[in-house]
Amino acid sequence: MLIGGFQRFSLIEYPGKICAIVFTQSCNFRCPYCQNPELVDPERFSNAIPEEDIFAFLETRQGKLDAVAITGGEPTLQPDLIDFISKLKSMNYLILLETNGSKPEIISELIELKIVDYLAMDVKAPLAKYREITRSNVDTAKINDSIAVITHSGLDYEFRTTVLKSQLGKADILEIGKLIRGSRRYVLQKFVPANVLDTKIIDALYYTDNDLECLRDAVKGYVAECVVR
Ligand code: SF4
């Protein structure tokens, strides 16, 4: 695993649990609003943190931390992700995986192996706008597959969208609502203009808190729960 960052303690990353966070290096998307550019742009990568250091720390926290959240970058690009998570599960940690949904086959494997407990997938845009918003050659059929796999996983999960007014309008949010129709939880994430991959995006138009509440009200009928965060 190429690990670009490690946070020893979080009360907010895994709903209702105390967790550590592992940040993997590299991503196949280039979302301009990405707030982890040092994990996405190879020119900004720092030396990877040895896995042994992570496991040594987590051994000392068994019984104190409930869970490990694995995020990135895009964790499913790591060829040894399954071995890494299996080892954490053998230490009795709950696992939250954050993903951009580009590798449904890896998500399926993790579910079948019963080594993941919470799935959080970014749904970046309506499928027709995916390449534009992610600035990548994404296969949108795979995004659709990941949504289906996660929705039918039987696990806790949530879908999330970072909403910038200059990128996604109300009609786009409603399209996303249709795409994830019937799902358990949808989070509209407010854009925070700091440490982003493309600094030009900082000049973009933002939604106000009131705008975001209106978007939530418009889309909430498609899902069981919709929140702004
Ligand atoms: S926001 Fe997520 S999917 Fe997009 S570039 Fe950053 S790490 Fe990759």
Side-chain angles (χ1 to χ4, degrees), residues 27 29-31 34 40 73 100 124:
C27 186
F29 291 0
R30 289 292 182 274
C31 314
C34 178
V40 171
N100 65 19
K124 305 286 185 184

Side-chain angles (χ1 to χ4, degrees), residues 76-201:
T76 62
L77 300 182
Q78 301 290 327
D80 46 356
L81 178 68
I82 287 174
D83 289 344
F84 183 79
I85 292 181
S86 296
K87 199 166 170 188
L88 292 173
K89 286 305 282 181
S90 73
M91 297 165 75
N92 290 323
Y93 282 111
L94 294 168
I95 302 295
L96 178 146
L97 179 77
E98 296 184 358
T99 179
N100 65 19
S102 59
K103 300 276 181 192
E105 61 282 1
I106 304 291
I107 300 170
S108 288
E109 197 171 348
L110 291 167
I111 294 167
E112 280 164 26
L113 290 168
K114 298 186 172 31
I115 55 173
V116 66
D117 302 281
Y118 198 111
L119 290 159
M121 176 179 158
D122 281 1
V123 180
K124 305 286 185 184
L127 294 182
K129 288 183 77 169
Y130 237 85
R131 293 184 180 191
E132 174 195 338
I133 299 295
T134 65
R135 298 184 181 175
S136 68
N137 197 24
V138 55
D139 178 351
T140 53
K142 294 204 168 200
I143 299 299
N144 220 6
D145 288 351
S146 289
I147 291 170
V149 163
I150 291 171
T151 304
H152 296 108
S153 66
L155 300 174
D156 281 340
Y157 68 86
E158 66 187 36
F159 296 114
R160 307 165 167 175
T161 303
T162 300
V163 277
L164 269 90
K165 197 170 189 173
S166 53
Q167 295 205 307
L168 298 174
K170 181 178 173 185
D172 295 320
I173 301 298
L174 292 176
E175 279 302 308
I176 295 172
K178 290 176 194 164
L179 191 60
I180 62 167
R181 190 195 300 262
S183 59
R184 186 174 295 183
R185 189 160 194 256
Y186 183 40
V187 181
L188 295 172
Q189 297 188 134
K190 193 174 176 180
F191 172 65
V192 181
N195 190 37
V196 290
L197 185 62
D198 180 355
T199 51
K200 291 191 206 78
I201 204 82

Side-chain angles (χ1 to χ4, degrees), residues 19-59:
C19 73
I21 310 174
V22 172
F23 297 86
T24 61
Q25 268 176 355
S26 85
C27 186
N28 49 351
F29 291 0
R30 289 292 182 274
C31 314
Y33 53 76
C34 178
Q35 294 199 282
N36 290 314
E38 65 285 355
L39 300 169
V40 171
D41 177 1
E43 291 189 0
R44 296 190 231 183
F45 286 179
S46 51
N47 290 338
I49 300 170
E51 272 183 38
E52 300 74 40
D53 293 2
I54 306 281
F55 285 116
F57 171 78
L58 290 172
E59 270 168 23

